[in-house]
Amino acid sequence: MNNLLDTYAPLNIKFTHGEGCWLWDKDGNRYLDAISGLGVNILGYGNSEFTQTIQKQAEKLIHLSNLYEIDTQQVLAQELCNISKMDKAFFCVSGAEAIECAIKLARLYGQEKQIKNPAIIVCNNAYHGRTLATITASGQRSVQAGFEPLVPGFVRAPFNDISALQHIAETRQDIVGVMIEPIQGSGGIHAASLDYLKQLRNLCDRQDWLYIADEIQCGAGRTGEFLYSQHANVHPDIVALAKGLGNGIPIGVCLTRNKTNNLFTKGKHGSTFGGSPLSMTAGISVLKIMEQLKLIQNAKTQGQYLIKILNEQFQNNANVTSIRGKGLMIGIELKNLPLGLPKKAVDLGILINITAKNVIRLLPPLIINNQECNILAEKLDTLISDI
Ligand code: PLP
C-alpha cells in the first residue's frame, strides 16, 4: 500500500546526487536541471561553501525557538532589508506562510484605519500558495475548487489593468491594499508591465493602500534584480520571499517598511520553525555566495542570452506561440503541448516543468553558464520539434 496522500504525480525517476546545474540518477545518467526544485536551488547542487557552512551550523545548533535570542536573525534581516530597501523582517518557513503574514499585516492596517472588514485586491491568474487564505487570494479556480467556504476579505481584479483598480477605488471604501505577483509564475510566466507597477504604486499612495509584492518565485535575484519590483523602481510596503533564499533549507520571509513596521505587537504572530539558527545561517550563506559569484548579474546576462537563442531557434516553429520572461524565469508557450512532455524531456536529459497547461517553465539555478544554456536550448529544440 502507498502510504502517501495522493497530492502529487511524480515522474518515475530517482536522483542520487547533484553538482552545479546537473543531477544524476541511480543508473549514472545526468540531467541538466532547468527547474531547480521549483526555483529553490539557486546555487545549484553541491556548492561546497554552502554545504560546509550549514554542516558546521548543524553540528552546533539546528533549532532553538523564538523563546531565546538568535543573533543571526538580525544579521539576515539586516542584509535582506538592505538589499530590498525594506525595514523589518518576519521569518517563517514557506512562501504561503510569508503571504499569510502579509495578509494579517494588511488586516491590522485596516483595523487601525477603523475599517471593520478590510479587503485586499488580488489578481486573476495569480498563485499565492495552498493554505486557505492563500488559495482564496490566488486567482486560479483549480487551487480553490472543493475547499469552500473560502476566506472572506479579497476582491478580484484583472492582472496588469490599472483602470480596473481605479474603478474599485471609486466604488469601495473597505480596500486596504493590493497584492501583486509581479511575474505570474504558476500562471504561465506573465510579467506585469513596469508601467503598470509604477501606476499601481501611485494609486496605492493616493488611496493609502498597501502595495504587497509576492516575490516568492520572481524574487531573490532570479530576474536580474534582487526584487522584480526594482526593475520598475517601485518600493512595496510589504514583500514576501521564500524559495531560493535558503537554497533548499526552508525559509520564508515577510519584509515590511515604514507604515507596516509596527502593526504586529508581541504575541500577534509567530512560527515555531521560523528564524531557526540553521535556516538563518543558510540564508546568510546564500546571500554571501550570490554576491561572490555575482549571481544576480549572471541571471540577467544568461537570461537575456537564453531568451535570445530560444527566439532565434523557434522563430519558424508555428507551435511556439510565445517566449517570455525576465532573467532566469522563462516561459515557452506552445499551441499544442502533449501530455507526457516532462517525461520526454527527462529522456533527453533535461528537467523542465509545465504550467498553465501549455507553458514550459524554466527556472534554472542562477549559476547556469553559456554552455549549459546552449545545451538546454538544443535539447528543447529536439523536444519541441518532435511534437
Ligand atoms: N507565491 C508564489 C508566487 C509562488 O510561486 C509560490 C510557490 O510556488 C507560493 C507563493 C507558495 O510558496 P510555498 O509553496 O513555499 O508555500
Side-chain angles (χ1 to χ4, degrees):
M1 175 180 155
N2 178 350
N3 297 108
L4 298 172
L5 283 177
D6 200 18
T7 51
Y8 303 113
L11 292 176
N12 184 13
I13 178 162
K14 294 182 178 67
F15 298 111
T16 52
H17 63 286
E19 198 183 316
C21 293
W22 299 83
L23 279 169
W24 275 260
D25 69 14
K26 60 184 177 30
D27 300 318
N29 302 308
R30 73 170 194 163
Y31 304 83
L32 180 57
D33 185 1
I35 192 65
S36 64
L38 287 167
V40 168
N41 302 321
I42 61 176
L43 306 181
Y45 300 96
N47 181 294
S48 56
E49 180 179 338
F50 179 73
T51 310
Q52 281 165 22
T53 305
I54 58 170
Q55 224 162 14
K56 269 195 218 142
Q57 181 59 47
E59 282 164 14
K60 286 197 282 187
L61 267 180
I62 294 174
H63 174 76
L64 261 181
S65 90
N66 289 295
L67 295 174
Y68 309 101
E69 278 182 14
I70 298 169
D71 286 347
T72 44
Q73 288 186 356
Q74 170 57 24
V75 176
L76 183 57
Q78 193 176 34
E79 291 186 6
L80 287 171
C81 289
N82 283 346
I83 192 166
S84 308
K85 301 198 173 56
M86 300 295 285
D87 295 333
K88 288 178 181 283
F90 176 84
F91 289 112
C92 50
V93 289
S94 71
E97 211 189 340
I99 297 293
E100 288 276 349
C101 179
I103 294 168
K104 287 175 77 173
L105 283 169
R107 286 186 169 192
L108 286 178
Y109 178 71
Q111 302 292 347
E112 263 196 1
K113 297 200 321 174
Q114 316 294 324
I115 298 175
K116 208 162 149 241
N117 291 306
I120 300 168
I121 298 176
V122 289
C123 294
N124 293 343
N125 199 40
Y127 179 77
H128 297 294
R130 293 288 191 159
T131 62
L132 275 176
T134 59
I135 61 171
T136 309
S138 297
Q140 299 174 13
R141 187 64 198 137
S142 58
V143 303
Q144 299 167 341
F147 300 111
E148 294 81 4
L150 297 176
V151 175
F154 295 96
V155 175
R156 287 179 205 293
F159 181 59
N160 218 6
D161 178 350
I162 202 73
S163 60
L165 301 186
Q166 279 156 348
H167 178 71
I168 296 173
E170 283 157 19
T171 50
R172 295 187 67 138
Q173 305 303 317
D174 57 348
I175 304 297
V176 290
V178 180
M179 184 149 74
I180 177 95
E181 188 191 356
I183 302 188
Q184 295 186 333
S186 309
I189 316 290
H190 295 285
S193 76
L194 301 186
D195 206 40
Y196 168 82
L197 295 180
K198 284 186 191 131
Q199 290 179 342
L200 176 58
R201 178 67 273 179
N202 288 337
L203 181 65
C204 288
D205 287 341
R206 281 203 306 279
Q207 296 297 128
D208 205 18
W209 291 349
L210 297 179
Y211 182 124
I212 304 167
D214 177 346
E215 296 239 6
I216 288 161
Q217 195 167 138
C218 62
R222 178 157 293 284
T223 67
E225 292 283 354
F226 188 73
L227 300 181
Y228 184 76
S229 306
Q230 291 168 334
H231 289 285
N233 236 338
V234 300
H235 208 166
D237 299 300
I238 298 178
V239 178
L241 290 165
K243 288 206 186 272
L245 274 191
N247 196 45
I249 302 292
I251 308 182
V253 69
C254 186
L255 300 172
T256 65
R257 183 173 73 90
N258 202 359
K259 55 189 170 191
T260 53
N261 285 343
N262 299 315
L263 294 166
F264 281 151
T265 49
K266 295 200 189 312
K268 276 286 188 196
H269 196 49
S271 173
T272 298
F273 294 112
S276 75
L278 184 68
S279 66
M280 296 300 96
T281 299
I284 294 163
S285 177
V286 166
L287 293 183
K288 186 170 161 216
I289 296 167
M290 254 177 129
E291 171 85 33
Q292 281 167 353
L293 301 182
K294 300 197 170 18
L295 293 186
I296 300 181
Q297 180 57 38
N298 193 58
K300 190 181 206 160
T301 45
Q302 295 303 329
Q304 277 168 354
Y305 177 66
L306 188 53
I307 289 179
K308 178 175 150 280
I309 55 177
L310 289 173
N311 269 317
E312 282 165 9
Q313 115 185 344
F314 291 123
Q315 63 183 339
N316 296 321
N317 187 323
N319 194 20
V320 177
T321 49
S322 159
I323 296 168
R324 54 181 180 251
K326 189 89 181 161
L328 291 171
M329 182 167 183
I330 300 172
I332 306 172
E333 186 173 312
L334 302 185
K335 210 183 283 171
N336 164 31
L337 194 154
L339 286 176
L341 204 68
K343 177 67 176 75
K344 282 201 173 129
V346 164
D347 294 341
L348 285 171
I350 52 170
L351 306 180
I352 55 159
N353 164 253
I354 307 303
T355 194
K357 292 199 180 85
N358 64 339
V359 179
I360 296 177
R361 175 167 49 167
L362 306 176
L363 301 170
L366 305 190
I367 57 166
I368 196 167
N369 63 29
N370 257 62
Q371 198 195 352
E372 288 160 340
C373 286
N374 288 337
I375 297 173
L376 179 59
E378 216 175 277
K379 302 256 183 192
L380 284 167
D381 195 25
T382 312
L383 182 74
I384 293 171
S385 305
D386 256 18
I387 292 173

